[in-house]
Amino acid sequence: MLDKKVIELLNDQVNKEFYSAYLYLDFANFYKDKGLDGFANWYQIQAQEERDHAMLFIQYLQNNNVSVSLEAIAKPDKKCKELKDPLIFALQHEEYVTSLIHAIYDAAFTIKDYRSMQFLDWFIKEQCEEETNAHDMINKYDLFGNDSKGLYMLDNELKQRVYSAPSLTL
Ligand code: FEO
């Protein structure tokens, strides 16, 4: 039986992950409108991964006989103007998500909820990867994105990204 506070945080995280998917879809649409299909592809796949994260939290709760409560997903609130804006917002957002995962871990740790800690281990690693990817995107943009030929090549590189299912199975 999971603790009430941990359940509440895990359930909130379902919403946060769906919001992340929505945010990244918004970024994908921004790039699509600019004709940068590679950047759009990268964020569409990112959105798929976030949906997977939400489903993992749902599955974990259900595996522990908890009823999941779905709340309204907020409208993406980042106003992108420059091509680099989504990249900066994405890094800020991932740092925020990391803080949320850590807060759930803290709650589980406090009450010695080893099961939830083990489940969250995967997300702690995943957040490290997500932040690194977000940093890399900014670095690449700074290196190549300011000249049209470089931007074209970077966009082509990002077109190659393919979706892969999460390595965590429950
Ligand atoms: Fe669900 Fe981008 O972390």
Side-chain angles (χ1 to χ4, degrees):
M1 178 70 186
L2 296 181
D3 165 78
K4 197 164 160 275
K5 179 70 189 167
V6 174
I7 289 175
E8 192 187 308
L9 292 172
L10 289 167
N11 200 99
D12 280 353
Q13 196 60 29
V14 172
N15 188 271
K16 304 285 192 214
E17 298 291 345
F18 278 127
Y19 173 78
S20 300
Y22 222 36
L23 181 68
Y24 290 143
L25 202 50
D26 199 44
F27 292 169
N29 293 344
F30 170 81
Y31 284 122
K32 191 79 191 164
D33 289 347
K34 303 282 181 199
L36 290 168
D37 290 359
F39 282 83
N41 173 59
W42 205 92
Y43 279 109
Q44 268 168 23
I45 290 171
Q46 199 61 25
Q48 277 178 281
E49 286 194 357
E50 299 301 350
R51 183 189 170 278
D52 289 341
H53 295 170
M55 296 307 292
L56 285 166
F57 279 99
I58 289 175
Q59 203 181 337
Y60 178 72
L61 286 165
Q62 290 174 339
N63 286 356
N64 285 278
N65 301 308
V66 175
S67 291
V68 175
S69 164
L70 294 179
E71 303 296 332
I73 302 167
K75 183 180 163 133
D77 60 345
K78 309 290 187 206
K79 299 276 170 265
C80 300
K81 290 195 187 87
E82 306 298 324
L83 291 180
K84 192 178 165 183
D85 288 347
L87 312 181
I88 295 163
F89 290 141
L91 176 60
Q92 288 168 354
H93 184 68
E94 287 305 331
E95 286 170 348
Y96 166 64
V97 173
T98 297
S99 75
L100 296 174
I101 299 288
H102 287 182
I104 312 173
Y105 199 97
D106 269 348
F109 178 78
T110 304
I111 56 157
K112 297 188 177 175
D113 176 357
Y114 302 115
R115 193 188 303 179
S116 295
M117 285 158 66
Q118 191 195 38
F119 165 69
L120 290 165
D121 278 343
W122 185 86
F123 284 94
I124 288 172
K125 252 198 272 177
E126 176 73 5
Q127 281 313 118
C128 177
E129 201 180 305
E130 299 272 76
E131 284 185 31
T132 301
N133 287 343
H135 269 293
D136 286 353
M137 288 286 278
I138 292 172
N139 288 342
K140 280 184 184 175
Y141 187 86
D142 286 345
L143 280 169
F144 310 114
N146 293 309
D147 126 278
S148 57
K149 205 191 260 182
L151 184 63
Y152 179 76
M153 288 176 78
L154 181 55
D155 190 57
N156 269 332
E157 181 193 314
L158 297 175
K159 233 178 251 176
Q160 310 306 317
R161 185 181 185 189
V162 289
Y163 167 77
S164 61
S167 58
L168 178 65
T169 49
L170 298 177

